Structure formats: structure tokens, C-alpha cells
Amino acid sequence: MEFYTSSSHKKPVRLCQETRKFAYESLNHKYGLDTDKVAHIDINHIKNYKSLSPLERYNLGVYEIVTKAPVRICDGELLSGSATLSDAKAHMFPVMHNDVQNRWFTGVSHFTADFFEVLEIGMDGIRKKAEQSLSRHTEAKKAAFIKSCLYCIDCMKIWHERYLNELSKHDNCGMIIKNLKQVPFKPARNFYEAMQSVWFCFAFMRLTGAWPGIGRIDALLGKYLKNDLKNGTITLDAAREIMAHFFIKGCEWIDGKPVCSGDAQHYQNIVLSGIDENGNDVTNEVTMLVLDVVEETGISDFPITIRINKNTDEGFIRRIAEVMQFGGGIIAVYDEDTVLKSLSSLGYPKDEARRFANDGCWEIQIPGKTNFSYVPFDALKVLQNITLQSYEGSVNFNDFASLLDSYTTDIQKQVEAIFESSVIGKFSDDKYSFKPAEPCSIVSLFEQSCIDKGLSYKEGGTDYTVVSPHIGGLPDAVNSLYAIKKAVFDDKIISFSEFMRVLKNNWQNEETLRKRIMNGYIYFGNDNDEVDGIAARILNDFSESCMMYDKKTPIRFISGVSTFGRQIEWAPERLAVPFGRKKGDVLSGNLSPTPGTDRAGATAAIKSYCKADLSKQYSGAALDIHIMQSVLDGENAITALSGLIKSFVELKGFFMQIDTANIATLIEAQKNPENYQNLSVRVSGWSARFVTMSKEWQNMIIDRERNGNI
């Protein structure tokens, strides 16, 4: 059974034939199409539904889901439990009432659940915590929330029993039954039980419309596998098969149907390696098994980010490069030292900061303790529509310094507007309270302090509530400012007012000037101190603008940089840019050079990106590096990729995703998608199968790779 690779050399074969068959069937939509058969559970039979409180509706909905959702046992599976309602993969609580206004609740995402506690004390231990909390909290709202948590645990037990009953009807399920009789309600005792416990809890959350991240799976499972190997109760080969089934089961929502920005983006990210809360290296046998599985199968549904620091073993970096070489955009890297510096400056305790993972894309959070949300805005649109007044000729600047000052002031006003619109609570008698929100008791079970506080995940139950303005299109804005600086104020080839007229007319009849400005200057991404300094200045001012509001409420209000593909949806609203591109062009992604402007290679792009103090972009700043597949064969490729990773850490980056693709293959996949069902590309914090993307998104990826850094 072969799996697609964009590399010309062959993938290793470590998994048994049965597991490879299971993976092939799952990647070719067998279980995703099965999930599509039932969208939701109808609850029209519930009397007086409209008169019930939101929490009562939620509780009844959970019961209906666990008692009526299809139970699926996959042929040959080693782990059991499936999220079998397709509205859940649409980020919805999958129940429907005939009253259109009260059909369902939205799901919860951008969080990484606390699986550590489940493995240590089991759901029975969490139940005990809830019972103790209920005895302490007499306030009606808190008591109702805690009772909802207890009810959801009871519902999980019902779902659990349904699986045990169904498994008993199938042959060769003895080990799964044995594991499920222990987990997730009792503590895990070995690696296999731990994997089943994590999967079952993960699938239960997904079944109800939540999209949890997995987090640090090697820190989570490493001790169990190490003990089992020491005791001789499992082999690495057997553990690899179990790990592979975890990844294969994670493909259960893919159905091959187009979803604009691609499938496989359900925020179930995994973080590997780095140090633990005591400063010890986490890298272990589980780390390597994960790399083995994604290398062989190419499964991209669990995008992986690896924590690298200045002490990371050279051999491990080489292993990362070997997996990257196959393409698919599965692996990205954090510079752990920069992230920890960032968290430390925000006041996070050292041991807690060292536990960091991501929120489902790459934004930083403390797993099991963080309610995270972000608010994106287009920095280029601020420049064009506000600072430059849509090129209407109503503003003029005598020098570049006054233009830049005006722009940074406009960014500060944008931040202020985000703060005012995103306030999710209020002060009363100097006490801050969160606004009522949709129930999410199941998610609250997997966040450490919600039960103790008697507060929901969405209503202040987590230790940290984070709102992060995210600046996007910054390289486009920086290049625009730099083009004005050079063409108007330094070289004086055109006046400011005349330049605004040219841009208003979308460069009409000005092709010579357009090409001169487009090709005559060295823009962001080419290690040009002058333009990179503009980017660093804007990012620093943006961060400081956010920090002005960080202490005004209990909510952390911190800066970050991203587009997450929004450059496509923003393009129609953008005007012509001063550095030579026309109205409506799709431009830069994240904090990456604008396609076509980076001409000095990947190292230069990293240097430009790293000239800002990225530790001040507290929720993260992503750099996308695109490498032509034609240069990625042989030992030189391993050396080159390893070198990029080490340079990124040495220069104090934050987050880097390296995508390798063959343009000819992408074009061929566009024409004949049936032959490239598991061809994956890294998009922006997630990976997606290329053939499930819309034509517009596919063209963006092709253009991005055509203008690759190497």
C-alpha cells in the first residue's frame, strides 16, 4: 500500500500491511463519507424546548448525542471511539430543533485540552473534583454549571458503555475492550491504555462540536512507553502501530469534498520535543514514533510543531529534516527560547511557561489553562484607506517620518477599536465579571480550574483568558511605505500627490514607472536593514499599543501576527500598492515576504523576519518558507533544511513552517485530483489536502511555490 510523496525517493515502510490498509482507506474517505451520513440528532420531541435555559438545552442535547449518535467500529482498529455526526466537523453542536433560532450552539476551538489530568486520575477523579466543588459553591449559577459538568460525565459513561457493548459483538477486539474497561474513567496504567484514553476523550469532545488541540503528546505519553519498554510489555514496533492508529483515526472527518481552504483543519495540532517544567529535554521514544508515522503515511490531519532550542541535539534536527524532505507541509518549528522569553516577560511562572503548546494553529497558550481568541485586521488596508485616505488626494506628507508616525498612530487606533469591541465582561464594585456565554461544559471538564471555580470555560473559568489582535498584511504595508520613501522622498522620481493619483488609477498608463518601482528596490525579505527596520518599528509600536490595554481588565490583551490565508478574502478590497502590484492581487501571508519580492533566498527571508523583537509578538508571529522540491533530493537537502532550522533558532525566530512542493505535481493534481488524494500542503498553521481546496486557494499555493525562497 503506497502513500503519495512529493519527493522522488521512496518512503520507509515500518507499519504492518493491515495498518497501511486502514490508513489508505481512511485517507480515501471511507470513514469521512460514513460520517456524512448523519449530520445531527433531531430533538423535536423535547417538550417546552423554547422555555428551557441554554444550559438545560445543552445538557439535553448532550444526552441525545451520546444515546443516538452512530457507534462506529472500524475494521482492524486498535483504538475505539468515533465522532460520527457531520455537523460537529462544521464546528457546531450537532443537535437540531425545528425552531430555527434555537437549533444548536457553536463549537469551541482554539484550545488545547488538559489530557494529563485524565491520564493521572481518570474521569472518575474529575467527577470527584466536581462533587467536592459542588459542595463548596452554593451560588445558583455556579452550582448549575458544576451539575452540568457531572451530567456530561454521566453522558460520557453512556457513550462509553455503548462502545463496550458494540465491541463485544466483534471478533479480535479483546484488547480494546480490556483497555476501555480501565480508561478513560480510571487512570491509565500503560502506553496502550494512555493512547486509548486520550483518543476517547478527544473523540468525545469532537462528537459534541469542539475542536481540541492535542498538545505535547510526547510529554504526555513518554513515561508510559518508557516504563513499558523497560518492563518488556511492549515493543517499539507495537507502539508504532498503536500510534499510527491514533493518526489514522484522526482522518475520520475527511470526505474529499471541497471546503475552500482545504480539509484537515480541525485544530488538532501536536507539539513535540522541547523542555519540560523542570527544564529537562522531553524528546523521547514517543517523539520519534510520531515522526515515523507521519513520514510513512503523510497524514497531515495533526499538524506538528517541534520545539527547538539552542541545545537541541544535531541528530534530532537531522531527523526533522528527513521528514520535511518528503514534503506535505506537516512539520513546523518553534524557537523555544524566544517563546519562553516572551511568556516570561508577560509574567507567566517559569514552570508553567515551559508547558506551552499551541491553540490549534500556532498561537501560544498554556494547555488546559487558557481561553484564547484572536482578532485579525489588515495592516495594508489601514495604510491605504485610513492613512492615505484611499488615495483621494486629501492628505499630504512632507517627509517619510511624518507618514510613518501617522500610520503607527492609525494602527494604535485600530488596536483601541479592537479592545473596545472585544470586551467580554464588565466591572461592578471593582469586581470583573464575564458576560453570559453559550454553554460548553464538556470543554470545561478538560480545563484545570473551571470545575474548581464553578465557572465555564467561556465565562472566566480558565486561569488565563487571552484576546490577541493579529496584524496581517504587514509585509505589504511595509513594502508600500518603503516604496513611497524611496520613490517620493529619497529619489524624488515622483511627487507624493502624483503618486497617489497613479495608485488611484491602478497604475493605468504607468507601466514603466510601475516596473521601475517594483524591480528597482530591495523589499522586505531580502536582508535589507532599511526596509526591515520599518517592519521592526511598526511591530514594536503595535505590541506596545496592545500592552496599553493588557492590564485594564483580567483579560490578557497581547499582540500577534497572522493572516491564516485571509490574504485571499482581503484581496478584493485592497487598492493598488505603491511597490508595483495592482488592485486585487493576493499578497503576503503571515509575516512572510510578499510573493515575488524575496529574491535573496530563505536565509535572507529569515534574517528580515528576525530583525524585529519577535518575543513582543506574544501570541506568535509566523514565517512561511517555501522550497522547491527540485532542490530537496539527496544529502544536500538534509543539510540545507537542518541549516535553516538552526539559523532560525540562532537568529531568535518565533514560528517557522517550511513547505516543500513540486509545482508540476500541484498543477497535475489540480487537473486530476483523483490521483492525489493525500497530497498535503502547509497553509497557515494547518495542513490541508491540496485537492480539497478551492481553485482560488490552489492557485495561491501554486503561485506561492513558484515564488519560493529557494
Side-chain angles (χ1 to χ4, degrees):
M1 198 71 63
E2 294 299 325
F3 301 101
Y4 177 79
T5 173
S6 57
S7 173
S8 63
H9 60 290
K10 212 164 179 62
K11 290 189 175 185
V13 177
R14 302 182 184 91
L15 301 173
C16 73
Q17 183 65 21
E18 290 77 10
T19 296
R20 292 170 64 78
K21 180 176 182 290
F22 184 27
Y24 184 82
E25 289 174 342
S26 192
L27 285 167
N28 282 274
H29 322 130
K30 178 178 179 178
Y31 301 106
L33 292 171
D34 186 60
T35 300
D36 288 346
K37 293 176 182 177
V38 182
H40 51 259
I41 304 300
D42 287 317
I43 56 172
N44 297 328
H45 63 281
I46 297 178
K47 296 180 180 180
N48 303 317
Y49 178 77
K50 292 176 67 174
S51 65
L52 299 176
S53 70
L55 191 58
E56 289 170 328
R57 294 179 189 175
Y58 178 84
N59 291 341
L60 286 171
V62 173
Y63 177 79
E64 294 292 317
I65 289 168
V66 300
T67 56
K68 296 178 181 177
V71 169
R72 180 168 63 223
I73 310 298
C74 304
D75 295 338
E77 68 180 14
L78 298 180
L79 302 168
S80 201
S82 295
T84 54
L85 299 172
S86 64
D87 276 350
K89 68 179 184 179
H91 209 257
M92 292 289 184
F93 186 62
V95 297
M96 181 176 288
H97 193 270
N98 55 20
D99 181 350
V100 175
Q101 298 302 315
N102 294 284
R103 291 189 303 172
W104 46 36
F105 304 111
T106 56
V108 178
S109 60
H110 291 285
F111 76 102
T112 295
D114 176 22
F115 295 107
F116 286 88
E117 186 172 57
V118 175
L119 295 187
E120 293 292 333
I121 67 173
M123 295 305 299
D124 286 346
I126 293 174
R127 181 197 302 274
K128 185 176 180 180
K129 283 180 55 178
E131 290 170 344
Q132 292 171 344
S133 181
L134 183 59
S135 69
R136 297 193 308 269
H137 293 293
T138 57
E139 183 184 332
K141 184 176 180 181
K142 290 186 176 182
F145 163 71
I146 298 168
K147 288 177 181 178
S148 175
C149 290
L150 286 165
Y151 186 77
C152 288
I153 295 173
D154 291 338
C155 287
M156 187 180 189
K157 188 69 173 178
I158 294 171
W159 193 58
H160 182 259
E161 290 294 333
R162 290 183 67 201
Y163 268 91
L164 282 172
N165 291 336
E166 186 63 30
L167 285 162
S168 68
K169 304 173 186 177
H170 293 254
D171 295 331
N172 304 317
C173 292
M175 279 303 300
I176 300 177
I177 293 172
K178 180 181 178 182
N179 289 338
L180 281 175
K181 286 183 175 179
Q182 177 70 20
V183 297
F185 287 89
K186 294 181 176 62
R189 300 169 300 187
N190 56 52
F191 174 73
Y192 198 173
E193 288 181 355
M195 284 252 63
Q196 177 63 80
S197 184
V198 172
W199 173 259
F200 201 83
C201 294
F202 173 71
F204 181 60
M205 283 184 271
R206 295 224 296 179
L207 180 70
T208 59
W211 292 1
I214 301 296
R216 305 188 70 185
I217 195 169
D218 48 0
L220 185 68
L221 301 172
K223 68 177 183 180
Y224 296 97
L225 182 54
K226 189 176 291 293
N227 288 338
D228 288 355
L229 291 171
K230 182 180 179 181
N231 296 333
T233 55
I234 199 171
T235 65
L236 274 177
D237 287 341
R240 186 183 296 110
E241 300 290 335
I242 297 167
M243 178 64 71
H245 279 242
F246 183 89
F247 275 77
I248 296 164
K249 293 279 286 185
C251 302
E252 66 180 353
W253 279 357
I254 69 168
D255 55 19
K257 299 174 183 178
V259 285
C260 187
S261 54
D263 65 359
Q265 49 172 305
H266 300 109
Y267 302 166
Q268 54 201 54
N269 288 31
I270 283 173
V271 175
L272 295 177
S273 192
I275 60 174
D276 64 15
E277 61 271 25
N278 299 313
N280 300 317
D281 184 24
V282 163
T283 313
N284 57 46
E285 292 86 353
V286 173
T287 314
M288 310 314 287
L289 291 183
V290 169
L291 295 178
D292 287 351
V293 169
V294 299
E295 180 182 46
E296 182 170 348
T297 65
I299 290 174
S300 60
D301 295 70
F302 294 93
I304 294 165
T305 307
I306 301 179
R307 291 170 50 162
I308 307 292
N309 58 55
K310 58 182 178 295
N311 298 316
T312 299
D313 180 74
E314 291 267 350
F316 181 56
I317 292 177
R318 176 184 172 84
R319 181 73 186 110
I320 297 166
E322 288 173 349
V323 179
M324 285 181 171
Q325 187 180 20
F326 282 100
I330 297 167
I331 294 179
V333 295
Y334 285 122
D335 173 18
E336 183 176 64
D337 298 323
T338 295
V339 177
L340 291 177
K341 176 184 176 184
S342 180
L343 291 171
S344 175
S345 66
L346 284 175
Y348 283 86
K350 181 181 289 187
D351 61 337
E352 198 154 275
R354 287 170 171 172
R355 297 188 183 102
F356 83 83
N358 48 24
D359 75 313
C361 284
W362 46 257
E363 300 99 310
I364 296 302
Q365 67 169 241
I366 310 303
K369 292 194 170 189
T370 309
N371 175 355
F372 176 86
S373 61
Y374 72 100
V375 184
F377 70 95
D378 183 1
L380 179 62
K381 190 174 182 180
V382 172
L383 176 65
Q384 292 179 327
N385 292 6
I386 300 176
T387 309
L388 299 177
Q389 292 293 297
S390 302
Y391 308 145
E392 295 290 352
S394 54
V395 294
N396 200 358
F397 296 95
N398 295 322
D399 53 45
F400 179 70
S402 58
L403 169 60
L404 185 57
D405 286 344
S406 179
Y407 178 62
T408 55
T409 297
D410 291 333
I411 292 292
Q412 183 176 336
K413 291 177 181 177
Q414 182 74 31
V415 169
E416 181 181 13
I418 291 172
F419 176 77
E420 295 293 339
S421 65
S422 65
V423 172
I424 54 178
K426 62 181 180 179
F427 282 101
S428 178
D429 298 326
D430 294 326
K431 183 178 180 181
Y432 189 86
S433 59
F434 286 75
K435 295 177 182 177
E438 291 180 337
C440 57
S441 303
I442 288 173
V443 168
S444 302
L445 290 173
F446 298 92
E447 296 287 325
Q448 290 178 13
S449 59
C450 291
I451 288 174
D452 289 337
K453 291 180 180 180
L455 296 171
S456 167
Y457 169 86
K458 290 184 177 180
E459 297 180 337
T462 56
D463 286 351
Y464 306 106
T465 299
V466 178
V467 176
S468 180
H470 270 211
I471 191 169
L474 182 69
D476 306 326
V478 168
N479 288 342
S480 296
L481 288 163
Y482 186 64
I484 294 172
K485 179 181 188 300
K486 300 303 289 184
V488 174
F489 298 115
D490 293 352
D491 298 340
K492 303 185 186 305
I493 62 176
I494 189 172
S495 70
F496 183 87
S497 59
E498 181 64 14
F499 202 5
M500 295 302 101
R501 183 195 65 79
V502 168
L503 295 173
K504 181 68 175 177
N505 293 329
N506 198 25
W507 296 98
Q508 186 176 358
N509 301 321
E510 297 289 352
E511 191 63 13
T512 300
L513 176 64
R514 187 180 78 86
K515 288 185 176 179
R516 178 179 178 182
I517 292 177
M518 186 167 61
N519 300 319
Y521 300 124
I522 301 173
Y523 293 107
F524 179 80
N526 296 283
D527 193 20
N528 174 3
D529 287 343
E530 188 176 20
V531 67
D532 298 343
I534 297 172
R537 153 80 188 276
I538 294 170
L539 283 173
N540 187 70
D541 288 355
F542 166 57
S543 175
E544 291 182 356
S545 295
C546 293
M547 293 306 290
M548 288 172 59
Y549 303 96
D550 184 49
K551 303 298 184 181
K552 288 194 172 183
T553 74
I555 297 169
R556 302 309 306 259
F557 195 78
I558 58 176
S559 58
V561 187
S562 76
T563 58
F564 295 122
R566 287 185 175 84
Q567 59 266 39
I568 288 181
E569 67 180 70
W570 288 343
E573 303 299 320
R574 289 170 161 183
L575 307 174
V577 295
F579 59 96
R581 301 291 287 272
K582 294 187 176 181
K583 180 179 180 179
D585 282 355
V586 176
L587 301 176
S588 69
N590 296 322
L591 192 49
S592 310
T594 306
T597 62
D598 50 332
R599 301 167 185 171
T603 301
I606 293 172
K607 287 181 177 179
S608 289
Y609 160 85
C610 289
K611 285 177 187 172
D613 183 355
L614 297 172
S615 69
K616 292 184 177 181
Q617 301 310 316
Y618 301 103
S619 73
L623 172 66
D624 310 327
I625 295 291
H626 314 293
I627 302 179
M628 300 290 289
Q629 186 64 51
S630 57
V631 305
L632 282 179
D633 283 332
E635 182 62 29
N636 288 340
I638 304 298
T639 302
L641 288 169
S642 298
L644 282 180
I645 294 170
K646 288 186 283 188
S647 294
F648 178 77
V649 173
E650 289 169 2
L651 292 168
K652 298 179 174 59
F654 200 107
F655 173 89
M656 177 175 66
Q657 49 194 26
I658 299 177
D659 200 8
T660 61
N662 185 315
I663 292 176
T665 300
L666 296 176
I667 293 173
E668 179 62 24
Q670 217 176 28
K671 296 176 181 176
N672 300 292
E674 67 278 2
N675 297 329
Y676 298 90
Q677 288 298 301
N678 71 323
L679 170 61
S680 295
V681 292
R682 189 89 183 196
V683 183
S684 183
W686 72 88
S687 298
R689 271 165 285 276
F690 181 77
V691 298
T692 65
M693 305 174 88
S694 69
K695 186 74 174 292
E696 188 177 30
W697 278 74
Q698 288 179 346
N699 288 339
M700 179 191 73
I701 297 295
I702 290 171
D703 290 343
R704 187 183 74 179
E705 303 303 333
R706 184 177 284 120
N707 295 298
N709 308 101
I710 293 181

